[in-house]
Amino acid sequence: MARKRNNVPPFRKPFKAVPLRMVKGRAPKPPKWKKPHKTWKQAWFETRPFVLLIALVTISVIAAMPGAFEPPGFLQSEPERIEGSFTRCGKGRGYYCVIDGDTFRIGERSVRVVGIDTAEVEAQCPAEAAQAELSTAALQRWLNRGAFTMTARLD
């Protein structure tokens, strides 16, 4: 035991408990049957071929579907020849009639002209009602110019 000088206790290194599994300051090797944990980078590099394979199969299945790469609006019906006189729609009107400035009827089928948007006939404002009447009369004149071919867009 060291001698005390001036009431100062001698320096002692505190006792540090070493875990039983620590041998000479390092952890023991894992057992041979237990694989070490992989990092996310290692796991990504191992699964990347499978992800690529799934993506290629998905793309090929979508490409094999009918109409998968055709833009909307390009699916069209067969051209239909229309010959007749158009009247305004109402009770007792003919087979061909005009509903408003952008819609007409052929029998029971209602047809809307693509790319035209006009005022509705049942308008609240008198100015809008007048414009709707003018556009309806203009469509009726346009349809009565003679026979035409109509191609319907399938949506």
Side-chain angles (χ1 to χ4, degrees):
M1 186 141 152
R3 239 165 69 179
K4 292 184 183 179
R5 290 190 197 171
N6 300 331
N7 293 330
V8 177
F11 174 76
R12 282 193 182 170
K13 194 173 183 181
F15 176 74
K16 188 174 181 184
V18 178
L20 294 176
R21 62 186 187 138
M22 296 289 283
V23 178
K24 295 183 183 176
R26 61 184 175 153
K29 293 180 183 177
K32 290 183 180 179
W33 65 85
K34 189 174 181 183
K35 294 180 182 178
H37 290 289
K38 295 177 187 167
T39 64
W40 66 270
K41 203 172 194 178
Q42 290 171 335
W44 168 247
F45 279 110
E46 286 183 6
T47 58
R48 195 169 50 175
F50 298 112
V51 172
L52 180 64
L53 179 68
I54 290 170
L56 289 175
V57 167
T58 304
I59 290 171
S60 63
V61 166
I62 291 173
M65 296 172 116
F69 290 111
E70 294 175 13
F74 280 76
L75 300 174
Q76 297 179 346
S77 68
E78 292 296 318
E80 178 182 353
R81 183 126 174 105
I82 307 295
E83 296 179 25
S85 178
F86 283 84
T87 61
R88 295 291 297 268
C89 286
K91 261 192 169 176
R93 297 298 174 147
Y95 187 76
Y96 300 109
C97 67
V98 177
I99 298 172
D100 60 9
D102 57 3
T103 311
F104 59 94
R105 181 170 285 150
I106 299 174
E108 295 297 318
R109 182 175 52 160
S110 181
V111 179
R112 188 166 195 285
V113 180
V114 176
I116 296 177
D117 188 23
T118 61
E120 298 300 323
V121 176
E122 293 90 20
Q124 300 293 331
C125 174
E128 185 180 356
Q131 288 296 322
E133 187 62 37
L134 288 173
S135 63
T136 304
L139 179 63
Q140 184 178 359
R141 281 192 311 272
W142 185 63
L143 292 172
N144 284 328
R145 285 178 33 190
F148 60 93
T149 303
M150 180 178 74
T151 305
R153 185 176 76 184
L154 305 173
D155 286 329

